[in-house]
Amino acid sequence: MRATYVALICASAVPAMAEAPFLQLPLDCVYGETCVVEDYVDADPTDRQHDFTCGLKSRNGHRGTDFALMSDAKLADNVQVLAAADGVVQVTRDGVLDQPYTAAIAPQLKGKECGNAVRIGHPNGYQTLYCHLKKDSIAVQTGDAVTAGTPLGVVGMSGQSNFAHLHFTVLKDGQVVDPFSPTPKDTCGWDGETLWLTDLPYSTTGLFTASFTTWMPRMAHVQSGAARRIDATPQDDLLLYGFAFYAETGDQMTFEATGPDGPIFADTVTIDKGQPQLFRTFGRKAPDGGWMPGDYTGTVKLTRDGQVLAIRNAQIRIE
């Protein structure tokens, strides 16, 4: 998420040196099974982007770590957002609706891009910020003392969000700090330094994107984005594709799509030959009488030996 969080984040100098690890997983989930990091902090100050290893798992200007649930349907499970360390609640916000972010609702969310949120100050001078919580779920108040693991609320889709996730930002003196690589560096790559007490394995393998389309695309169409569709007619075929990087032989890509009537397809494809870039597609022809009008969601997961490496979500509207 690239927004400036008014009243939640302010600007200051980069911290000169890192503290000892102090952060626990900020979600009540099993990492690699029921949640995974979808995007890391952008470590490149230019108009390009890379994560803390100089890998591809970030977005330009991304100012936090996105912990994704396995699908939007998991919002109904009320997954708890947890304090990552002991501290005192400094700011909370509630009352922002849970809805997929679109350009149409952007004006009403100005200054509230973080959605429903909690910010905690920690004794070592760091702050942690928890964004996109579910409306009416905030369980703490300003001034409350919390310990690591204290429930703060539940995962939602408020603010500038279009999938089920927690956006987690670490701050020091108002400046964003990457918890996976907290000391600023002039060189590219990771030296093993971290603020995490919890083991959160990293893989270079991931997903550039997942999208719906209405026809079988070629690689050039996927790379350029020409294959992507955000709307379709009831008579169109409906396909979901995942565009992966550094997938290895034996990795699996799972496709799930849901419409107004519930699930419409689910399938898992095994990668027969690893490549730096590849895509896979699964879908269904339009049923007799056409698809029911409404919103459809898709999820693509990339797994290795049962562990989720990456997850991306897609939406399309039938009308």
Side-chain angles (χ1 to χ4, degrees):
M1 186 173 61
R2 196 181 175 181
T4 299
Y5 309 132
V6 177
L8 293 174
I9 293 180
C10 59
S12 187
V14 174
M17 58 186 297
E19 303 286 345
F22 71 103
L23 297 173
Q24 297 183 11
L25 186 65
L27 274 183
D28 184 15
C29 63
V30 179
Y31 191 80
E33 295 182 18
T34 59
C35 68
V36 70
V37 172
E38 183 176 73
D39 285 303
Y40 296 84
V41 173
D42 179 13
D44 190 329
T46 72
D47 59 359
R48 296 187 174 186
Q49 69 278 333
H50 62 72
D51 63 33
F52 68 103
T53 73
C54 297
L56 300 173
K57 292 187 167 182
S58 189
R59 292 179 283 114
N60 189 31
H62 195 239
R63 294 166 58 83
T65 305
D66 286 347
F67 290 91
L69 303 185
M70 293 298 103
S71 72
D72 289 351
K74 296 301 180 182
L75 290 172
D77 293 344
N78 289 328
V79 177
Q80 294 284 334
V81 175
L82 309 175
D86 299 353
V88 175
V89 175
Q90 297 178 326
V91 178
T92 67
R93 179 167 58 218
D94 206 341
V96 183
L97 294 176
D98 293 279
Q99 57 186 332
Y101 180 80
T102 64
I105 66 172
Q108 69 192 60
L109 289 174
K110 188 173 182 180
K112 299 179 181 179
E113 292 87 353
C114 186
N116 304 312
V118 176
R119 191 183 71 204
I120 297 174
H122 304 284
N124 58 6
Y126 280 88
Q127 298 168 306
T128 52
L129 176 64
Y130 311 75
C131 296
H132 310 315
L133 278 65
K134 185 176 289 188
K135 182 177 179 291
D136 299 329
S137 78
I138 303 299
V140 292
Q141 300 179 18
T142 300
D144 284 354
V146 297
T147 58
T150 297
L152 306 177
V154 303
V155 177
M157 199 185 293
S158 60
Q160 191 174 326
S161 174
N162 56 14
F163 65 100
H165 77 290
L166 168 71
H167 178 95
F168 176 76
T169 295
V170 179
L171 303 156
K172 184 71 177 289
D173 298 325
Q175 179 69 29
V176 173
V177 176
D178 187 348
F180 290 88
S181 185
T183 302
K185 300 173 180 64
D186 295 328
T187 58
C188 193
W190 185 51
D191 60 7
E193 186 182 14
T194 181
L195 293 181
W196 293 107
L197 294 167
T198 303
D199 182 27
L200 301 176
Y202 175 89
S203 172
T204 56
T205 302
L207 289 164
F208 287 116
T209 189
S211 296
F212 280 104
T213 188
T214 56
W215 45 280
M216 183 61 70
R218 296 183 179 181
M219 175 61 87
H221 304 136
V222 171
Q223 290 174 320
S224 69
R228 180 173 179 262
R229 293 289 180 271
I230 59 173
D231 51 53
T233 72
Q235 289 71 41
D236 285 326
D237 298 335
L238 204 55
L239 299 90
L240 180 64
Y241 66 83
F243 182 22
F245 52 88
Y246 302 130
E248 297 181 1
T249 302
D251 289 351
Q252 293 187 313
M253 197 177 293
T254 298
F255 304 85
E256 297 178 349
T258 302
D261 273 345
I264 60 172
F265 63 72
D267 192 60
T268 298
V269 175
T270 299
I271 307 301
D272 55 0
K273 182 181 180 181
Q275 299 176 55
Q277 294 187 19
L278 59 82
F279 78 97
R280 296 292 185 269
T281 306
F282 187 82
R284 279 185 55 192
K285 290 185 175 295
D288 293 340
W291 301 106
M292 176 179 288
D295 295 320
Y296 290 68
T297 60
T299 302
V300 177
K301 290 185 290 186
L302 191 61
T303 61
R304 179 178 299 152
D305 299 326
Q307 294 294 301
V308 179
L309 303 179
I311 184 168
R312 292 287 179 184
N313 297 272
Q315 295 83 33
I316 194 169
R317 183 168 183 80
I318 305 293
E319 54 187 3

